[in-house]
Amino acid sequence: MNSTIILFLISLILMLIANFISKKSFMDREKNSPFECGFDPKNSSRLPFSLQFFLIAVIFLIFDVEIALLMPMIMIMKFSNIYYWTITSLMFLLILLIGLYHEWNQGALSWAN
């Protein structure tokens, strides 16, 4: 228990030191603006980003990983107790379906606004 606290404090101190060292000493409009041959930029250097696309991509990754977790369950079916396997599989699928329903209910799956 003592070593855990010591390791936590050491990592916290190192993160704080890195945070203080990495800060810029002055914030200037010219230093923060993008370089464009010495002229003022004509438009913003930031491109518009679709938050809806990001949400769909994150949902796809989550469900893709969960499908990869479902595949080995088919292989272990013949080695395990069928009762426990069924309970585990149904609970896992129930969690997936509740998550999908929640995302659908929140409107994260609809493209048209």
Side-chain angles (χ1 to χ4, degrees):
M1 185 70 176
N2 250 351
S3 62
T4 307
I5 295 172
I6 291 171
L7 289 174
F8 178 74
L9 288 176
I10 289 173
S11 62
L12 183 68
I13 290 170
L14 286 176
M15 285 190 293
L16 288 174
I17 289 172
N19 192 19
F20 286 127
I21 290 174
S22 68
K23 296 250 182 192
K24 291 182 181 179
S25 60
F26 55 90
M27 296 300 235
D28 196 5
R29 179 185 173 290
E30 286 79 22
K31 292 285 185 183
N32 288 333
S33 66
F35 180 71
E36 198 168 312
C37 301
F39 299 106
D40 287 333
K42 296 183 183 206
N43 54 11
S44 175
S45 63
R46 308 265 186 236
L47 295 175
F49 182 73
S50 172
L51 187 60
Q52 190 71 27
F53 175 76
F54 177 74
L55 287 174
I56 294 291
V58 168
I59 291 169
F60 170 76
L61 284 176
I62 290 170
F63 282 103
D64 193 40
V65 168
E66 289 170 349
I67 292 296
L69 291 174
L70 278 175
M71 295 305 266
M73 291 182 82
I74 298 168
M75 300 301 289
I76 66 167
M77 185 173 134
K78 57 185 170 185
F79 301 116
S80 62
N81 185 350
I82 194 69
Y83 176 73
Y84 292 128
W85 183 87
T86 305
I87 296 294
T88 305
S89 301
L90 288 177
M91 290 299 290
F92 192 74
L93 288 173
L94 183 68
I95 291 170
L96 281 177
L97 290 174
I98 289 173
L100 180 63
Y101 175 73
H102 176 70
E103 293 297 328
W104 189 6
N105 198 19
Q106 293 293 319
L109 300 177
S110 62
W111 282 104
N113 286 334

